[in-house]
Amino acid sequence: MLSVPHTVADKVAALPESPGVYLWKDAEGTVLYVGKAKRLRSRVRSYVATDHRESVKTRALMRLVSDVDTIVVPTEAHALILEANLIKEYKPRFNIALRDDKSYPYIKVTAQEPFPRVYVTRRLQHDGARYFGPYTDVGQMRRALNVVKRIFTVRSCNYDMPRQMPDRACLDHAIGRCRAPCILAQSQQEYREMIEEVIVFLDGRTDEVVGRVRARMQAAAGALDFERAAELRDALTHLERMEEPTVVLQVEGGDRDVVGYARDGDDACVALLRVRGGKLLARDTHFMENVDGDDDATVLSAYLARVYLPLEAKGEELLAPFDFADRALLQDALPGIVVHVPQRGPRRDLVDLAQQNARHLLEEQRVTGDETEERAGDPVYELQRQLGLQKVPRALVCFDISHAQGTDTVASCVWFQNGRPHRNEYRKFKVKTVDGIDDFASMREVVGRYFARRLEDQKPLPDLVVIDGGKGQLNAARDALDVLHLGALPLISLAKREEEIFFPGRSDSIRLSRRSPALRVLQQARDEAHRFALTFQRQQRTKRTVTSELLKLPGVGESKRRALLVRFGSIQGIREARPEEIAELPGFSVRGATKLLDALRASDPVHVPPPSPDIAS
């Protein structure tokens, strides 16, 4: 196995099992090799874990390696495209050099022309056109293009209109594939309105196109233009039946800087993606410390003012993940650069990609710094964002109370680490100070006992406490934490009926989307706590019932009861045993076992004892 620097080995161990691109670098920071991976950790580890005797080039590469950098992307298709872009940018010496280096296809809309065309191209030019792609699946691209031509009747000719105009319309007009703007059967304004809908459709906003087409169909019907209304009806049917086209990356010819942000307590990480000419070419990172006490908007504003503003090479557009206080001041200080906080669409997809990279880098620092043994997944960061927590809830506990009509009241506490159950930290409780049905008092007792024991044993506290229930259970838990001076510990409750999340001291609740990964984490913890508590409650009820029945039997003490339950498991199991089996246990004889079975069978309401010999005679 080849030796690599310790910094590289530590980074490899901390990489995620997600798609991405890796860049091997030498001591001077020069990129030696760029590769793509379906699972980054497995792929990069394969370089370090073997000696590569079969590959002279790989052995030579690994002898020069001093560092590795990675960029996380959503899918393997993204990694394929990013790898090609980075190879063209850095021209690494260990990558294969291709003389005929073809790129991936795009759908081009010549929006700069009076009568735009829509066609496939592999060349990106700063000519004012709109580019959609690149498409790794050519068949998918062709299907999207066919839908455009069928629904929107875009012209297929290559005339330079209106400078070049034919004498008559082509066959497409005769078969209804084109409305013949070349002979002015369709006005330039109508044609451009149609092209705008094509752009919206290729942008993935099919719902908007459906709304526009429906409105125009109704207007045509109202004007008694039934032929036009029928055409729009058919187009609407096609749109409603198909899914949104999948676009890997939208290219608009401009340069962008995309900011991703992740935070965990006193540390924050900002990832800056540099998109040039519609291609993702690089990622810059910056770690920020001592941010405890400042909100995220303040931290992001400080980064943009101190780090981004002095940069010489900036894009034409800056995309930020959320709004911040000094946005207007920053906009004034960046003439010619537009600052956006996108909420949806391709721009938001780029921001989400930057966010994913920021989380990846922060996790990498945590893991390599021996602060944790396992990476927190994206749903955990989503939970932090949705709840407004300053610290990532890597460790959360969830409490639940269970009883049987006021008897056998018990409680459970389950521990989730990085979004997954950590069963070694599960705890169960018998409620000792509460009689009858009082979930609030039971919750107060259990939460107090749990955290008092954690403090006494000097064990780490969770980052988030979740209570199964509503405001009553939440306030009871808060009272218990206040007594222990743990009022600053993040605390919420999750009410099951409407999945409402309550916070201490706030009258209103929040509701997360049913599809939210953050909500799923809370639901999994709540359901696991309920399962664990219910199982323990049933065990206690069964044990109490069995024990009380055995207590009625003469000559059966505590040690004999324990031996019977261990051997046969239940009262029914004892009833069905033979005297010889019971006699094998310490303290029993065949005669004593027979008496025990007679007493148990007599107490069984379902069992009808056989008639005595005296009656039978």
Side-chain angles (χ1 to χ4, degrees):
M1 185 173 68
L2 295 173
S3 61
V4 295
H6 293 296
T7 55
V8 173
D10 292 340
K11 277 191 174 183
V12 171
L15 292 177
E17 289 286 4
S18 57
V21 173
Y22 55 93
L23 300 87
W24 291 113
K25 298 181 178 180
D26 62 14
E28 297 178 355
T30 303
V31 177
L32 301 174
Y33 182 80
V34 177
K36 67 179 183 303
K38 184 177 182 179
R39 292 184 291 272
L40 273 173
R41 186 193 306 169
S42 300
R43 184 69 184 98
V44 178
R45 180 180 287 168
S46 68
Y47 282 85
V48 180
T50 58
D51 55 10
H52 302 286
R53 293 184 181 275
E54 72 284 356
S55 176
V56 176
K57 185 173 77 171
T58 305
R59 287 179 63 85
L61 166 66
M62 297 310 295
R63 289 194 186 99
L64 297 174
V65 162
S66 293
D67 195 11
V68 62
D69 198 6
T70 56
I71 301 177
V72 177
V73 294
T75 66
E76 195 175 2
H78 287 74
L80 188 68
I81 295 169
L82 179 56
E83 177 196 34
N85 291 339
L86 293 177
I87 290 174
K88 292 178 184 178
E89 175 73 10
Y90 294 111
K91 297 180 174 59
R93 55 181 289 199
F94 284 91
N95 278 99
I96 297 174
L98 300 178
R99 293 182 180 271
D100 183 17
D101 192 6
K102 293 183 179 179
S103 58
Y104 294 97
Y106 299 83
I107 293 180
K108 179 177 181 178
V109 181
T110 59
Q112 78 280 14
E113 297 178 356
F115 293 88
R117 294 167 294 148
V118 181
Y119 58 91
V120 177
T121 184
R122 292 180 183 268
R123 296 180 59 190
L124 293 178
Q125 298 174 307
H126 295 282
D127 54 3
R130 294 288 300 272
Y131 294 84
F132 298 90
Y135 290 87
T136 54
D137 185 347
V138 178
Q140 173 191 337
M141 180 202 65
R142 295 290 181 189
R143 287 191 294 273
L145 193 59
N146 287 337
V147 169
V148 168
K149 291 183 177 179
R150 172 174 294 183
I151 296 177
F152 299 103
T153 63
V154 178
R155 70 185 182 102
S156 60
C157 58
N158 294 321
Y159 292 113
D160 184 10
M161 297 168 51
R163 191 173 63 86
Q164 297 176 343
M165 302 289 278
D167 296 331
R168 60 179 182 177
C170 65
L171 182 60
D172 281 352
H173 175 59
I175 63 175
R177 289 294 184 91
C178 179
R179 296 184 60 199
C182 57
I183 60 173
L184 301 182
Q186 182 182 25
S187 68
Q188 181 177 349
Q189 181 180 353
E190 290 178 338
Y191 188 84
R192 291 204 68 89
E193 289 176 355
M194 179 188 65
I195 291 296
E196 289 178 6
E197 292 177 357
V198 170
I199 292 174
V200 171
F201 169 74
L202 291 174
D203 205 19
R205 295 176 288 165
T206 309
D207 291 341
E208 293 185 27
V209 180
V210 169
R212 293 184 187 182
V213 173
R214 182 177 287 113
R216 288 164 60 187
M217 179 186 68
Q218 293 171 350
L224 304 182
D225 187 357
F226 298 116
E227 184 176 353
R228 178 60 178 157
E231 293 177 1
L232 294 170
R233 179 202 60 200
D234 295 340
L236 189 62
T237 302
H238 284 294
L239 283 170
E240 290 178 337
R241 286 179 179 174
M242 69 170 298
E243 298 178 353
E244 295 180 357
T246 302
V247 180
V248 177
L249 177 65
Q250 182 188 6
V251 180
E252 295 183 347
D255 299 339
R256 294 185 183 132
D257 294 321
V258 189
V259 178
Y261 175 87
R263 177 177 183 170
D264 192 1
D266 197 27
D267 298 317
C269 176
V270 178
L272 181 69
L273 302 184
R274 289 193 283 119
V275 179
R276 298 296 181 262
K279 298 179 182 179
L280 176 59
L281 296 181
R283 184 202 65 198
D284 302 327
T285 59
H286 196 89
F287 290 95
M288 309 183 76
E289 300 176 346
N290 301 322
V291 301
D292 196 18
D294 295 318
D295 58 24
D296 294 336
T298 302
V299 178
L300 180 61
S301 181
Y303 163 81
L304 293 172
R306 300 177 190 175
V307 180
Y308 180 77
L309 195 58
L311 293 178
E312 294 184 4
K314 301 185 186 70
E316 300 169 354
E317 189 177 37
L318 174 65
L319 305 183
F322 47 81
D323 210 349
F324 49 96
D326 297 332
R327 178 179 172 184
L329 295 176
L330 183 71
Q331 181 68 80
D332 293 339
L334 295 172
I337 299 178
V338 181
V339 181
H340 280 309
V341 183
Q343 301 300 316
R344 61 184 65 85
R347 286 184 176 85
R348 187 65 215 183
D349 293 341
L350 283 173
V351 172
D352 290 342
L353 179 59
Q355 293 279 83
Q356 188 178 2
N357 275 273
R359 292 193 292 265
H360 154 63
L361 292 163
L362 189 58
E363 284 297 312
E364 183 179 85
Q365 185 189 51
R366 291 275 177 175
V367 175
T368 56
D370 294 329
E371 297 187 28
T372 181
E373 296 179 355
E374 192 176 5
R375 302 178 64 91
D378 288 346
V380 180
Y381 276 90
E382 179 70 12
L383 182 61
Q384 177 199 22
R385 188 183 69 84
Q386 296 279 7
L387 300 183
L389 306 176
Q390 287 198 350
K391 190 174 183 182
V392 176
R394 300 174 186 276
L396 70 83
V397 293
C398 184
F399 291 89
D400 185 34
I401 304 294
S402 181
H403 57 78
Q405 298 181 350
T407 61
D408 302 308
T409 303
V410 299
S412 67
C413 174
V414 298
W415 184 292
F416 270 49
Q417 188 72 29
N418 293 321
R420 289 174 287 275
H422 187 44
R423 291 182 172 80
N424 289 340
E425 290 290 342
Y426 281 21
R427 297 293 182 268
K428 51 190 177 184
F429 306 86
K430 296 179 185 177
V431 177
K432 301 177 180 179
T433 62
V434 180
D435 294 326
I437 302 176
D438 192 342
D439 287 353
F440 302 160
S442 299
M443 186 65 72
R444 186 181 300 109
E445 175 194 331
V446 170
V447 172
R449 286 169 53 190
Y450 176 81
F451 282 100
R453 184 62 180 269
R454 300 290 295 188
L455 293 173
E456 180 183 348
D457 295 343
Q458 298 183 349
K459 290 186 176 181
L461 300 179
D463 303 315
L464 176 65
V465 181
V466 182
I467 304 299
D468 182 10
K471 292 182 179 180
Q473 289 88 342
L474 178 68
N475 291 331
R478 182 185 61 180
D479 293 343
L481 293 175
D482 287 341
V483 170
L484 298 171
H485 306 289
L486 295 177
L489 199 63
L491 173 69
I492 63 170
S493 69
L494 180 64
K496 188 169 187 179
R497 177 171 296 181
E498 299 295 334
E499 303 293 24
E500 292 180 281
I501 299 174
F502 294 96
F503 295 82
R506 286 172 49 178
S507 58
D508 57 330
S509 64
I510 67 171
R511 297 184 183 181
L512 305 183
S513 168
R514 294 282 180 169
R515 297 182 180 180
S516 169
L519 179 61
R520 284 198 292 270
V521 171
L522 295 178
Q523 289 172 328
Q524 289 170 3
R526 187 265 316 279
D527 295 345
E528 181 69 355
H530 180 71
R531 180 200 64 78
F532 194 48
L534 186 60
T535 300
F536 183 46
Q537 190 270 328
R538 287 171 175 169
Q539 291 173 350
Q540 291 299 111
R541 183 176 58 186
T542 300
K543 182 178 179 181
R544 176 178 56 81
T545 303
V546 172
T547 303
S548 63
E549 194 162 349
L550 288 177
L551 283 172
K552 299 176 184 177
L553 302 178
V556 179
E558 181 178 354
S559 60
K560 287 186 177 180
R561 286 198 303 271
R562 186 181 303 109
L564 286 168
L565 290 176
V566 170
R567 175 67 174 80
F568 300 105
S570 66
I571 286 290
Q572 188 61 30
I574 299 173
R575 286 194 183 104
E576 296 174 354
R578 292 182 290 107
E580 293 79 8
E581 293 176 321
I582 298 177
E584 296 175 357
L585 299 176
F588 285 97
S589 63
V590 174
R591 183 180 177 184
T594 302
K595 288 183 178 181
L596 172 66
L597 291 174
D598 290 341
L600 280 176
R601 288 163 181 163
S603 65
D604 184 2
V606 178
H607 178 74
V608 179
S612 63
D614 296 335
I615 298 176
S617 61

